[in-house]
Amino acid sequence: MQERFDEVNGLRLHVLHEGEISAPIIIFLHGFPEFSFAWQKQVSFFAQHGFYALAPDQRGYNLSSKPKGVKAYVIDNLVADIAAWIKQLTPNKVILAAHDWGGGVAWALALKHPELLEKLVIMNMPHLAVMKKHLRTNPKQMLKSWYAAFFQLPVVPELVCRMWDYRFLVNAMMKSANPKTFTRLQMQQYKQAWSEPNALTSMLNWYRAFLYDILKKYPKVTVPTLIIWGKKDATLNAQMAHDSLAMCRQGKLVMLDNATHWLHHEMPDRVNQIILDFAKEELV
C-alpha cells in the first residue's frame, strides 16, 4: 500500500492506494471521525483481486487540505472534490464504496454525476432524503442523533472532543462497536489524525454545513446500488436502510444482524466478499 497527494479543486487530497493503475478502479470514502486508514483491509483485498483501490482523506480530514469556514463543507463542495478527482484518475466509470458521512457524499455524487459511476456501495448511511425525513419525523432517530445537534455549537464541541486525550471520540467509536473491534494502536493512529492542525473544526464542519443542505430535494438513485447495513448500529435505525433501498431504482440490501455501525472493521472478510460479488455481478 502506498500514499500520495493529489491536487483537486485547489486542494491536496492525501490518498492511500494499491494495485495496478490500469486495473478497474474502486474508491472508498470514509465517514466521521475516521480517515483513509479505515479502509486498509478493503484497499489491500481489492488490489489483490484485480482492482486499483484508492481511499482518500476527504477535505478537512487528517493530511488533506482543510479550508476554513462552514460553507466550505456543504455537500456540493464535498461531491465536487470526488467528482473532479475521478475525472483525473480515469475516463472510465468507477465503483464507489462509502461509509457514514462518506456515504452521504456518495449518495449525492450518484445523483449529480451518475455518468462517473458503474456501481455504488453504501455502508450504514441512509439516502439523504431518508435521513432528512427521519430527522424531522422519527423521535427515536432524533434522540439517536443528539450529537449532531451538539456539534452545531461553536467551539464547545472541539473542546469536548479534545479533552482527556480525545476520550469523547474514542468512546464514540469503541463503545458503539462490538468488543475488541478497535485496538489501542488503531486508536493512537486516529488520535494522530484528529490532532492535525484545524482537523477537529473541519471534521465538525461537515455536520454544521448539513443545515445548508437539508432544504434540498434528493430524488431516486439510478446507479446500481448495494446497501450493506450493520443492524446493531447505535446511531442510525435499521428502518432507514429499507427506506433507502426504496430510493434506488436498481437496489439491493444486505443486512448484517451481528454488525454495528463499524461493520467494515468488525467483519472485513464478509463485507469485502459481499462488495466483490456485487462488483463482479453482471448488470441487467
Side-chain angles (χ1 to χ4, degrees):
M1 193 177 301
Q2 297 177 304
E3 300 176 69
R4 71 169 189 241
F5 288 91
D6 289 353
E7 300 289 333
V8 178
N9 284 349
L11 306 177
R12 290 211 318 163
L13 295 184
H14 173 251
V15 181
L16 293 184
H17 61 105
E18 186 174 347
E20 296 293 330
I21 60 173
S22 59
I25 289 177
I26 184 167
I27 292 170
F28 296 92
L29 300 182
H30 66 83
F32 178 92
E34 299 198 276
F35 64 108
S36 55
F37 164 81
W39 296 112
Q40 284 186 317
K41 291 181 179 178
Q42 284 70 39
V43 168
S44 291
F45 176 88
F46 281 90
Q48 292 164 15
H49 285 79
F51 289 85
Y52 184 37
L54 305 99
D57 293 332
Q58 296 192 79
R59 70 160 64 192
Y61 281 83
N62 192 34
L63 300 179
S64 288
S65 296
K66 302 169 182 65
K68 294 183 179 180
V70 171
K71 289 188 177 181
Y73 298 89
V74 296
I75 201 79
D76 285 347
N77 290 334
L78 306 176
V79 167
D81 290 346
I82 305 304
W85 184 50
I86 291 172
K87 292 174 185 177
Q88 288 179 198
L89 290 172
T90 178
N92 301 318
K93 292 184 178 183
V94 306
I95 295 174
L96 182 62
H99 172 251
D100 187 75
W101 254 116
V105 175
W107 280 119
L109 192 146
L111 290 168
K112 195 168 185 178
H113 298 284
E115 74 282 357
L116 298 179
L117 304 183
E118 179 182 350
K119 293 180 180 179
L120 178 68
V121 181
I122 303 289
M123 286 163 265
N124 282 69
M125 180 66 186
H127 184 286
L128 294 172
V130 173
M131 174 64 88
K132 287 166 54 177
K133 178 182 177 182
H134 279 257
L135 286 177
R136 288 172 172 170
T137 64
N138 186 333
K140 289 184 178 180
Q141 186 56 53
M142 293 177 195
L143 186 61
K144 286 174 179 281
S145 298
W146 67 269
Y147 60 92
F150 170 61
F151 289 164
Q152 302 307 313
L153 297 173
V155 183
V156 175
E158 284 89 333
L159 294 175
V160 171
C161 287
R162 192 175 289 114
M163 287 173 63
W164 299 301
D165 195 25
Y166 301 96
R167 184 181 299 177
F168 180 88
L169 294 177
V170 170
N171 287 345
M173 294 179 70
M174 296 189 70
K175 290 189 175 182
S176 62
N178 286 331
K180 299 182 180 180
T181 296
F182 298 107
T183 66
R184 287 187 179 182
L185 176 59
Q186 287 174 319
M187 283 296 106
Q188 284 302 123
Q189 291 168 311
Y190 279 111
K191 289 176 186 179
Q192 178 60 46
W194 301 333
S195 67
E196 291 293 330
N198 302 314
L200 277 182
T201 294
S202 300
M203 292 160 58
L204 292 166
N205 278 346
W206 281 54
Y207 284 91
R208 292 162 178 157
F210 189 56
L211 289 179
Y212 295 99
D213 299 316
I214 204 164
L215 297 178
K216 292 183 179 180
K217 293 183 179 180
Y218 295 98
K220 288 189 176 183
V221 170
T222 58
V223 176
T225 302
L226 167 67
I227 302 171
I228 313 174
W229 200 276
K231 196 171 183 179
K232 293 165 60 180
D233 194 319
T235 57
L236 298 169
N237 76 77
Q239 181 58 45
M240 291 201 287
H242 298 281
D243 292 352
S244 296
L245 181 64
M247 296 299 293
C248 303
R249 291 189 180 170
Q250 300 180 70
K252 178 181 179 181
L253 171 62
V254 177
M255 191 72 73
L256 300 181
D257 291 342
N258 295 318
T260 73
H261 185 73
W262 312 103
L263 67 171
H264 54 308
H265 295 281
E266 295 164 338
M267 299 181 176
D269 295 341
R270 177 90 183 276
V271 168
N272 290 349
Q273 191 61 52
I274 292 170
I275 298 173
L276 182 62
D277 290 344
F278 179 68
K280 291 185 174 181
E281 196 174 280
E282 292 292 331
L283 295 178
V284 177

